[in-house]
Amino acid sequence: MTGDQLREAHRADLAIEGEEGVHFEKAWADPASGTVYCLPEGPSAEAVQRVHERTGHPADERNPVPLSV
Amino acid sequence: MTGDQLREAHRADLAIEGEEGVHFEKAWADPASGTVYCLPEGPSAEAVQRVHERTGHPADERNPVPLSV
């Protein structure tokens, strides 16, 4: 996972997110472990996952964060 | 974990973060699981943890994210 690959994956999500009422606010990656994180906002975890499936990178884990500061 | 508790924990980190050269950009919580997440920037994971220890909420996990978009 390089910076270019992260940007491209995020761009692909942004391109279709509106169709699911989702917005991907930010994404992060750790090239050493190959782990990618993203911060989406949307109507459901399923809606988020549908975007990720269509863009070819379904999430392994989902962690709801209803509170933020 | 309520919204007030999350705000107070974040405020406590912000109050002393400068002493370790750290900045806590954002924090999130899931009241259902009791899990709290934060996004710090700083010179090392140890510097971040020192702030959290002084404010009474050391982190159980650290996930480096050198890339972001």
Side-chain angles (χ1 to χ4, degrees):
Chain A
M1 170 62 59
T2 66
D4 281 349
Q5 289 170 320
L6 178 65
R7 267 188 296 278
E8 172 53 27
H10 188 53
R11 189 206 57 73
D13 287 336
L14 292 178
I16 64 166
E17 64 179 13
E19 296 168 32
E20 296 286 354
V22 169
H23 177 54
F24 290 90
E25 295 183 11
K26 211 162 163 56
W28 300 266
D30 179 18
S33 68
T35 312
V36 180
Y37 307 86
C38 76
L39 179 65
E41 194 151 12
S44 68
E46 290 68 31
V48 171
Q49 189 71 330
R50 278 194 294 273
V51 175
H52 277 330
E53 274 163 4
R54 289 174 56 195
T55 51
H57 44 253
D60 300 317
E61 270 188 45
R62 306 164 190 196
N63 303 105
V65 284
L67 300 180
S68 69
V69 66
Chain B
M1 170 62 61
T2 66
D4 280 350
Q5 289 171 320
L6 178 64
R7 267 187 296 277
E8 173 52 27
H10 188 54
R11 190 207 56 75
D13 287 335
L14 292 177
I16 64 166
E17 64 179 13
E19 296 169 32
E20 295 286 355
V22 168
H23 176 53
F24 289 90
E25 295 183 11
K26 209 160 164 59
W28 300 266
D30 178 18
S33 67
T35 313
V36 180
Y37 307 85
C38 77
L39 179 63
E41 194 149 13
S44 68
E46 290 67 31
V48 171
Q49 188 72 329
R50 278 194 294 273
V51 175
H52 277 330
E53 275 164 3
R54 289 173 56 194
T55 52
H57 45 252
D60 301 316
E61 269 188 46
R62 305 165 190 194
N63 302 104
V65 284
L67 300 180
S68 70
V69 65

